[in-house]
Amino acid sequence: MKLNAKNEKKLVTDILIKLGTQENQADIVAQATVDADLKGFTSHGIGRFSQYIKGFKAKTINLEGDIDIERETEAMALINGNSLFGQYVARRAMDLAIEKAKNVGIGIVGTHNGNHFGVTGYYSDLASQKGCIGVVITNTEPAIAPFGGKKPLIGTNPIAIGIPNEDTYIALDMATSVAARGKLLEARRKGESIPEGTALDKDGNPTTDPAKGIEGSILPFGGFKGYGLAFLIEILTGALVNAGIGTGVKGTATCSEDCTKGDLFLAIDPEKFVGKEQFNDETDKFLDEIRADNGIIPGSLEVDRVKGNLANGWELDPVLFDTLNDICKNIDIDIEDYAA
């Protein structure tokens, strides 16, 4: 079965509302899900959706209530997500960071008691779309062993940065591991192997089996450099924001237990620094230099994927289709009605 952006957004929204999700929150979850799939990150889009449904049943995702702002100044805030959808908590946090950046030049908002929020870059995009630089980091359940060790103690801890530009999409969204855990989960579901150099099994031996990699550890990208970045993100999204850290982080790979990860959202308004016009002019000069050398602009791959997926839609693999179809049958929704 093939989906497109319009039909997937409606499918996700309809399922969530039927299950009792507040309409405004269902809409945000659907937007973030479609964004991931348009960019080609199905492991963090519709491929991760069934995890949230399991969270309903386990009561680790709360369908009622709203966020609480626990601490706040002109430039920062700390949010308790009250176990609501991670996408909703993250959207509220970045919106608040952008608002503060527009007022004082910079806004930084931390969250705890959220849930898995999909693709990190969706939230840095929100800032760049509003003329701000966006930076988002988060921690996850342990998947990376410390450098020199073999026991997973650190998350795959992604970072996303978005730069505002009127003509060019400039964005980086990456895990600090060789591959995001979601890529291994997706490979396991599809019965595919993972590339060599991605993961180790529980005994510290290289493996191309995603199941063994999930049970073992995922390698940091770039050796010690990726490990060091993951290590520091762990502290900034754990200890700093009243969230779990290291082995205290739970509930990002599955929804069987409460999610204890943390997030940090940063927005910077160039207008308050050098002015929007100068920032854009200098950025454009730099882009021209990169293009003159046939260089790739970070974000260009996503632009190409979005164009292709908007035009052609995307296929659900058989296992994912069966999973979603079972969810739909239980709430009297005919999934075939949403086929592209």
Side-chain angles (χ1 to χ4, degrees):
M1 175 179 165
K2 180 179 283 189
L3 287 171
N4 59 27
K6 179 181 178 181
N7 289 6
E8 179 172 290
K9 185 175 185 297
K10 181 169 173 51
L11 173 63
V12 171
T13 303
D14 287 352
I15 290 173
L16 292 177
I17 290 177
K18 272 229 174 186
L19 290 170
T21 307
Q22 298 174 66
E23 188 169 345
N24 64 326
Q25 296 188 24
D27 183 65
I28 289 172
V29 175
Q31 288 180 41
T33 302
V34 171
D35 179 78
D37 288 322
L38 281 173
K39 292 174 179 173
F41 302 137
T42 54
S43 59
H44 288 63
I46 195 67
R48 205 65 171 256
F49 183 65
S50 63
Q51 174 179 316
Y52 310 141
I53 306 304
K54 293 176 183 176
F56 295 169
K57 297 177 180 178
K59 297 184 178 179
T60 58
I61 295 180
N62 188 7
L63 301 182
E64 299 179 352
D66 209 335
I67 63 168
D68 287 320
I69 299 177
E70 296 179 328
R71 298 189 178 191
E72 187 173 20
T73 69
E74 287 187 338
M76 63 76 60
L78 180 63
I79 287 176
N80 184 336
N82 291 319
S83 297
L84 297 165
F85 276 103
Q87 291 89 339
Y88 176 73
V89 176
R91 177 63 182 267
R92 291 289 303 275
M94 182 50 94
D95 284 348
L96 183 57
I98 294 167
E99 179 184 328
K100 290 179 179 296
K102 293 293 186 180
N103 288 333
V104 299
I106 188 167
I108 184 165
V109 178
T111 71
H112 61 103
N113 287 342
N115 272 292
H116 186 273
F117 61 32
V119 171
T120 312
Y122 174 69
Y123 307 97
S124 53
D125 285 353
L126 294 174
S128 60
Q129 290 162 6
K130 296 292 186 179
C132 289
I133 297 164
V135 182
V136 183
I137 55 177
T138 182
N139 63 6
T140 73
E141 286 181 55
I144 296 175
F147 211 72
K150 61 182 182 180
K151 180 181 179 182
L153 298 175
I154 300 172
T156 55
N157 300 358
I159 178 170
I161 303 174
I163 304 293
N165 188 273
E166 294 180 359
D167 302 314
T168 305
Y169 177 67
I170 310 171
L172 174 72
D173 183 1
M174 54 174 258
T176 46
S177 52
V178 173
R181 189 202 314 265
K183 294 293 186 182
L184 274 69
L185 293 170
E186 185 172 57
R188 183 178 66 179
R189 186 185 75 235
K190 292 181 176 180
E192 298 174 348
S193 61
I194 54 176
E196 293 182 1
T198 298
L200 305 176
D201 64 21
K202 64 180 181 179
D203 297 316
N205 300 311
T207 183
T208 58
D209 183 336
K212 292 182 179 179
I214 293 168
E215 185 182 16
S217 64
I218 306 174
L219 294 169
F221 85 91
F224 189 85
K225 293 179 181 180
Y227 163 67
L229 187 55
F231 182 101
L232 294 172
I233 290 174
E234 194 74 48
I235 296 171
L236 292 174
T237 56
L240 182 66
V241 300
N242 197 30
I245 183 170
T247 55
V249 182
K250 311 288 184 183
T252 62
T254 69
C255 286
S256 59
E257 51 191 339
D258 290 334
C259 186
T260 59
K261 65 128 178 172
D263 314 305
L264 201 61
F265 303 85
L266 174 65
I268 304 167
D269 186 0
E271 180 63 36
K272 297 291 195 297
F273 281 75
V274 296
K276 176 182 176 182
E277 185 174 349
Q278 180 178 330
F279 178 80
N280 288 340
D281 287 346
E282 293 299 317
T283 300
D284 287 340
K285 289 177 186 177
F286 177 58
L287 294 179
D288 288 342
E289 290 180 345
I290 299 297
R291 293 189 182 107
D293 196 43
N294 295 316
I296 295 174
I297 307 299
S300 60
L301 296 177
E302 285 82 355
V303 170
D304 291 341
R305 289 177 190 147
V306 168
K307 286 180 180 177
N309 286 327
L310 280 174
N312 304 314
W314 49 91
E315 291 283 348
L316 294 177
D317 65 77
V319 175
L320 180 55
F321 172 81
D322 289 342
T323 300
L324 293 173
N325 193 32
D326 287 343
I327 292 170
C328 289
K329 285 179 179 178
N330 289 332
I331 52 176
D332 296 323
I333 286 178
D334 186 348
I335 194 172
E336 296 289 353
D337 290 343
Y338 301 83

